[in-house]
Amino acid sequence: MYVADSRASAPGARASADGAVRPEAGRRRAAIAPTVLALGTVSLVTDVSSEMVTAVLPLYLVTGLGLSPLGFGLLDGVYNGFSALVRLAGGHLADRGGGRHKWVAGLGYGVSALCKPLLLVAHSLTPIGLVLAADRTGKGLRTAPRDALISLSSTPESRGRAFGVHRAMDTAGALFGPLVAFLILRATVDGYDAVFTVSFCVAVFGVLVLVLFVPGGRRQGPAGAGGEGGERPTLRAAVGLLRRRDLRRITVCALLLGLATVSDSFVYLLLQRRLGVPDRWFALLPLGTAAAFLLLAVPLGRLADRVGRWAVFLGGHAALLLAYALLLTSWHGTPLPYVVLALHGGFYAATDGVLMAAASEGVPAALRSSGLAVVQTGQALARFACSLLFGAAWTVWGDRAALAGALVALAACAAFSLTLRPKGTVPA
């Protein structure tokens, strides 16, 4: 089985009364579970594929197809928020299937892979929107089951570190993806078509890695391992998770903060306009975010395990606030893009995996995928709304006024979230 086999034999581990496996006092911390490493490899390969497209998509749509900021905001909202409509379904299917998280995640990876070649024939707003919606449907199906696998194969004391390792491997793919896209654009005549074709081939390889190397099968052992026992994975039970005070607080905060989190693509477009970055170099901007994320994901995950996940989570939003403030200043120095992208990557390192580690604490193992999907859905819907609002504000009032509004909103939401300290986000 993929939960107990990956941790029950770890040196220095013992089973507690509730069925969870915890390291013995004074012993060396158990190694990262093989399931986490296998999923990290799948995410690395898949992110090479997806980030190749993400890196060139803003320029392709705005410059190549001539979309307005409002039109791009609509498509970007679809790209980042449509998955919210299917995340709950993906999480519920994985739990209801008796722990078939691997196969639900594999379906999601496969759907996203099949969407890549469709971008070759989509050249207007409606078909591109449909392709991106289908791609995000795949992402929505796979995200909660994948994160549930990571959570279930890790001990409560090391979940921040486990998610940090996975996100670091995931971000390694995000680092290589824009670089591959940049090299393809420079080496080919039909650069965008070549990027989409290579992206499809890499995505198929990622699905094969998942099928061949990620453990699968039904969950066994105590029904409530890692949390509370006996809950059946029904749809009613999944929705009822919001009655849990800590999970409800985490979900509300993720939603509010997501409403003021400007899309990555808009951040890169703002940097390009501020600094006059040539179009051929645009695809390299995500490398700065990815590099900072890669370097900081594991250290910040371990820090969250030690000092508390809420403090690290809010610290990441403080870094994002500083990045917005720098983009609003009149400073045009050479270090500006490096500082902004480093803060941007630090924000993701302190929030992405840390949020999932925090949410895992208040959810029983039988509903782990559904519980994480609840948090992810709130956040994704909020970011979808933010993309639409930011694109509209940019079109009507200009980029600086839109960013200033986002900064004020993020500061207010962060101040509110500071007053909440869910039980699972602080060290025992």
Side-chain angles (χ1 to χ4, degrees):
M1 82 183 184
Y2 60 79
V3 176
D5 286 354
S6 63
R7 59 182 182 172
S9 60
R14 61 179 176 84
S16 65
D18 64 0
V21 177
R22 292 180 170 82
E24 291 183 7
R27 297 285 189 90
R28 183 179 177 182
R29 183 177 302 179
I32 294 298
T35 299
V36 176
L37 298 177
L39 286 168
T41 303
V42 174
S43 293
L44 189 157
V45 174
T46 302
D47 250 36
V48 171
S49 168
S50 60
E51 292 301 323
M52 286 174 61
V53 175
T54 301
V56 303
L57 197 62
L59 203 62
Y60 175 65
L61 295 174
V62 175
T63 303
L65 300 184
L67 290 182
S68 67
L70 178 58
F72 176 72
L74 175 61
L75 280 181
D76 190 70
V78 168
Y79 191 70
N80 289 292
F82 193 85
S83 61
L85 301 178
V86 292
R87 289 193 189 208
L88 287 174
H92 178 63
L93 286 174
D95 289 334
R96 189 66 178 266
R100 295 193 183 97
H101 300 80
K102 169 183 174 177
W103 304 113
V104 176
L107 175 63
Y109 281 111
V111 169
S112 293
L114 292 175
C115 289
K116 300 298 189 295
L118 295 180
L119 289 171
L120 295 170
V121 296
H123 299 291
S124 61
L125 183 64
T126 300
I128 290 177
L130 292 175
V131 172
L132 295 181
D135 178 78
R136 294 300 91 180
T137 297
K139 182 176 177 61
L141 284 174
R142 70 180 185 251
T143 302
R146 180 203 65 197
D147 285 348
L149 277 172
I150 297 170
S151 173
L152 290 167
S153 62
S154 307
T155 61
E157 295 83 359
S158 65
R159 281 198 185 115
R161 179 167 170 252
F163 275 103
V165 168
H166 174 268
R167 294 314 196 252
M169 297 180 72
D170 181 274
T171 307
L175 190 64
F176 289 120
L179 182 60
V180 173
F182 170 74
L183 295 175
I184 292 174
L185 287 175
R186 288 181 62 87
T188 59
V189 177
D190 298 322
Y192 294 119
D193 288 350
V195 168
F196 299 150
T197 302
V198 174
S199 173
F200 168 67
C201 296
V202 176
V204 171
F205 179 65
V207 175
L208 291 177
V209 173
L210 175 78
V211 172
L212 296 175
F213 296 104
V214 174
R218 289 177 177 270
R219 216 170 29 237
Q220 301 172 14
E228 300 175 34
E231 287 210 47
R232 295 180 56 197
T234 63
L235 185 60
R236 181 176 181 180
V239 175
L241 288 172
L242 284 175
R243 290 196 295 268
R244 297 168 179 261
R245 179 171 174 269
D246 290 338
L247 185 65
R248 185 171 63 249
R249 285 188 170 193
I250 290 174
T251 303
V252 169
C253 289
L255 189 152
L256 289 176
L257 291 166
L259 280 172
T261 302
V262 176
S263 165
D264 298 356
S265 298
F266 278 124
V267 171
Y268 303 142
L269 287 171
L270 287 165
L271 264 178
Q272 185 199 30
R273 295 198 171 200
R274 282 284 310 275
L275 302 174
V277 177
D279 289 354
R280 66 180 180 276
W281 298 106
F282 181 85
L284 292 181
L285 290 178
L287 291 179
T289 297
F293 195 170
L294 176 63
L295 293 174
L296 295 173
V298 176
L300 290 178
R302 296 184 65 177
L303 181 65
D305 287 335
R306 297 185 62 181
V307 306
R309 287 159 191 158
W310 209 236
V312 174
F313 180 72
L314 292 179
H317 286 87
L320 187 63
L321 273 173
L322 182 56
Y324 290 175
L326 288 174
L327 286 172
L328 285 171
T329 65
S330 58
W331 180 39
H332 287 76
T334 302
L336 177 63
Y338 301 100
V339 175
V340 169
L341 294 176
L343 290 169
H344 197 226
F347 156 72
Y348 280 113
T351 59
D352 192 7
V354 171
L355 179 62
M356 292 298 97
S360 297
E361 297 300 318
V363 182
L367 293 169
R368 188 65 51 81
S369 185
S370 300
L372 297 184
V374 167
V375 179
Q376 294 166 355
T377 297
Q379 187 179 60
L381 285 173
R383 290 184 176 179
F384 171 77
C386 183
S387 287
L388 295 180
L389 293 172
F390 190 85
W394 185 335
T395 302
V396 176
W397 297 307
D399 54 352
R400 290 181 63 85
L403 186 59
L407 185 148
V408 172
L410 182 59
C413 293
F416 174 77
S417 300
L418 188 62
T419 65
L420 303 179
R421 291 177 63 85
K423 180 180 176 183
T425 63
V426 296

